Every structure is written in C-alpha cells, then in structure tokens.
Amino acid sequence: MAAASADTRGTELGRYLKARRAQVRPEEVGLPAGAGVRRTPGLRREELAALAGVSVDYYIRLERGREANPSPAVVDALGRALRLRGDGYERLHELAELAAGRVSELPACSDHTVRESVLRMLESVRPLPAYVVSRYNRVLAANPPGRRLLPGLWDWPEDQRNLTRYLFLHPVGRTIYDPWEENVALSVAHLRAVAGADPDDPELTALVGELVLKSPEFARLWERYDVCERGGGQKTFQHPRTGPMTLTYEVMRLARTGGQRMVVYQAAPGTPDEEAMLSLDAGDAVDTADAADVRPVPEPVQEPVLVPSGRRPQPAVAPCPACAQTPAHV
C-alpha cells in the first residue's frame, strides 16, 4: 500500500518532469544533438539524469511516480538541468513537496459567490473595466464596461463563462486579442499554474477535458506544461465596439475566496486608448444583455439591477499578463 500511495503522490511530479524534459533541446544544455532521429523531442531520460547528477534508474522511478521523496538538492539539480526559472522552478518544488507528503493538496475552490464588498468595488472603479474570476478563470462578476470588454461571453450560460473557454471556443474570443497565439499560450500557462497540486479538481478536469477535445491548439499547449502565474500586464484588443486599443491591467487576489481574482483595466490619460476604453462605459442605461447579468449568483431575494447612477456591480471575465518564461500572453 505504501508503494501505491507513493505512485499516486508522485504522478503529477512525473508528468511535469516529462513535459519539461521535452521542451529542452540537447544543444541548449551543451549536449550534442547526436546522429539519427531522436524519438524524444527534447532531452532523453539518461541525459537529464546525467545533467542532474542522479542515476538513470532513480530518475526513471521519479518520472514514473515510483520515487516519492526527492531531496531538495535533487530537486534543485533537476530544476537547473531543465532550465526552469520563476513560476516553473517554484512549481517543481511544490510538486516535489506534494510527492513527499510534506504538504497536503491545495484547498478546494470556494463556491462561486462574490462578496458584496467586492461587488461594490467593481462598481466603484468605473469607468475602468473590471471583473472577478474564479481560480480556474470562470467569470463570476463584472461592471458594465468589464462586460462590454468581452463581447459575446454573456451569450453563454452562467456556468460556461470561462475566459480560457472564451479564448479557444468563442468566435469573438479568437479574434479580439492581438496577437491571439501569444495570449492563449499565457492563458494556458496560467491555468497550469493555478491548477498546482490539485490537478484532479472536478471543475478543472471538466474544463480541460472539453478544451482538449474541441481545440487542438489547447491540447498542444496543455501538454507542454508551461507554467506562468500572472499578476498584471498589457493587452491589445481588436474590439468590435471600440476598434483597436491597448490597455494595461492589474490582477488582485481576493483573500479567503479559494482563488478568486479581480482584474482591472486602464489606459494612459489623454490617449486614444483611454478614449476607446471610456466608450465602453458610455450611455445612461445598462445594456439589456448587461442588465440580465448584474448578480453572479441567484438568491431567493434579490435586489433590482441598478443603472449606472446606482451603486451595484455586475458579472465578469478575466485574463492574465506576461512572465519571464517560455509562454506568451493571454
């Protein structure tokens, strides 16, 4: 039973090592590419073992989940051999700690209720577009300009409004970001990062299973296992309502929520980008589609939706920034 338990704990660490090994070319670490066709797109197991200073047998057991207690020195050596930095390096250590049983799994996500105080914050930052997303990028609430920033998302049922799904499966989501390829790469890397040591979470597995089946691009990026947790950055939109605009954004973690984040966009004062952004909040009344989405979670008794002159927020969507790693932008 102890061996089975180790296999279970070490599985995700093994997947991560295998995925990152495939991303490192021999010449990048001073090894000859060798003659003939390589079956492995990146480093072979024996090459990585030699670079990290461990036996091939030990490394194979580690990658297959049969070794569940790598020392910090071994983990550091593997991280250096795999050229990991930042989020990727931290993730390797997290998974090693989990495999060794030194930490438990991450806490389960909270329900998708957004606190009243957070809803008031969304309204208070207008005219800046803002929204709240769950740990796995489900849009839980947004103010009116935040909803208009992501057209078409609100056509989907509430439980389908996920930013990563929007990027890959919605026709507007595939055209609104420039460049799309860079944004989706970062989005998937961010999803990998927040998945962390809880890869079997039901919400995550349902989302990943759907996207792997429906999007070859997502399947390819998910398999790479790039990791990048973002906290802010810049995005260029090709927006059907405003035209081109480049906005900066900040991502704020909300305490005691199981991973909810608030994303707020802005533009430099006096620029065409700011003018385009402000047009998302123009008008004296909330759009019909917006009005239907003011409260993210239905309740038995619910206050009426207020128009811009009132002080109540509304549902949303959220993405993520750049990092110094392999990925690109969401």
Side-chain angles (χ1 to χ4, degrees):
M1 291 299 292
S5 175
D7 282 1
T8 301
R9 292 199 310 266
T11 297
E12 193 62 20
L13 173 61
R15 288 183 188 139
Y16 186 61
L17 288 169
K18 183 177 181 180
R20 300 315 306 163
R21 177 167 62 85
Q23 306 305 316
V24 182
R25 297 192 302 274
E27 54 270 28
E28 292 178 319
V29 290
L31 295 175
V37 178
R38 297 175 66 92
R39 291 188 307 165
T40 305
L43 293 176
R44 297 185 175 107
R45 290 189 181 98
E46 57 269 26
E47 291 171 335
L48 180 53
L51 288 168
V54 299
S55 72
V56 177
D57 178 65
Y58 178 84
Y59 177 76
I60 290 174
R61 285 187 286 115
L62 198 61
E63 191 171 286
R64 291 178 176 173
R66 295 174 184 168
E67 169 57 54
N69 195 22
S71 70
V74 166
V75 176
D76 281 335
L78 287 168
R80 289 192 297 271
L82 290 168
R83 302 167 63 85
L84 296 176
R85 297 177 180 83
D87 292 329
Y89 188 78
E90 290 179 17
R91 180 47 37 84
L92 178 63
H93 276 273
E94 285 178 8
L95 294 176
E97 291 288 299
L98 181 70
R102 291 188 285 267
V103 296
S104 60
E105 290 188 353
L106 294 177
C109 288
S110 69
D111 63 21
H112 293 116
T113 303
V114 179
R115 292 196 296 260
E116 287 289 335
S117 58
V118 176
L119 294 174
R120 289 194 293 271
M121 285 175 60
L122 283 175
E123 183 67 12
S124 70
V125 300
R126 289 177 64 181
L128 301 181
Y131 47 74
V132 173
V133 292
S134 73
R135 179 174 163 194
Y136 299 128
N137 289 341
R138 177 173 163 184
V139 181
L140 304 177
N143 61 18
R147 287 195 305 279
R148 296 181 189 122
L149 186 65
L150 299 164
L153 181 69
W154 314 103
D155 298 337
W156 283 351
E158 185 177 307
D159 62 355
Q160 296 293 303
R161 295 171 192 164
N162 181 283
L163 285 180
T164 308
R165 179 184 285 112
Y166 178 74
L167 275 170
F168 284 96
L169 301 185
H170 198 287
V172 178
R174 294 185 64 90
T175 61
I176 196 170
Y177 294 109
D178 184 20
W180 181 82
E181 294 81 3
E182 183 179 328
N183 278 274
V184 296
L186 264 189
S187 184
V188 176
H190 174 80
L191 196 62
R192 269 294 192 186
V194 296
D198 194 15
D200 297 322
D201 179 273
E203 182 183 1
L204 175 67
T205 54
L207 175 65
V208 171
E210 176 190 3
L211 292 176
V212 164
L213 286 174
K214 295 180 179 179
S215 172
E217 298 106 323
F218 177 87
R220 176 179 57 81
L221 290 168
W222 186 254
E223 194 64 29
R224 284 177 59 91
Y225 217 134
D226 288 331
V227 177
C228 173
E229 194 161 1
R230 299 134 46 162
Q234 180 175 286
K235 290 184 182 180
T236 297
F237 293 82
Q238 297 296 333
H239 200 279
R241 174 169 175 162
T242 70
M245 61 178 174
T246 298
L247 306 178
T248 58
Y249 64 97
E250 295 294 334
V251 180
M252 292 157 278
R253 296 179 179 279
L254 302 176
R256 305 181 309 280
T257 63
Q260 290 180 13
R261 307 179 309 280
M262 182 172 174
V263 184
V264 182
Y265 287 82
Q266 58 183 309
T271 63
D273 291 324
E274 183 189 43
E275 184 179 351
M277 181 196 72
L278 293 177
S279 71
L280 294 172
D281 197 43
D284 296 326
V286 177
D287 294 346
T288 304
D290 293 337
D293 288 309
V294 171
R295 297 299 296 262
V297 180
E299 297 177 355
V301 178
Q302 189 167 307
E303 298 178 13
V305 177
L306 300 180
V307 294
S309 58
R311 277 293 173 270
R312 266 295 181 267
Q314 352 232 305
V317 182
C320 288
C323 90
Q325 296 209 191
T326 342
H329 274 292
V330 165

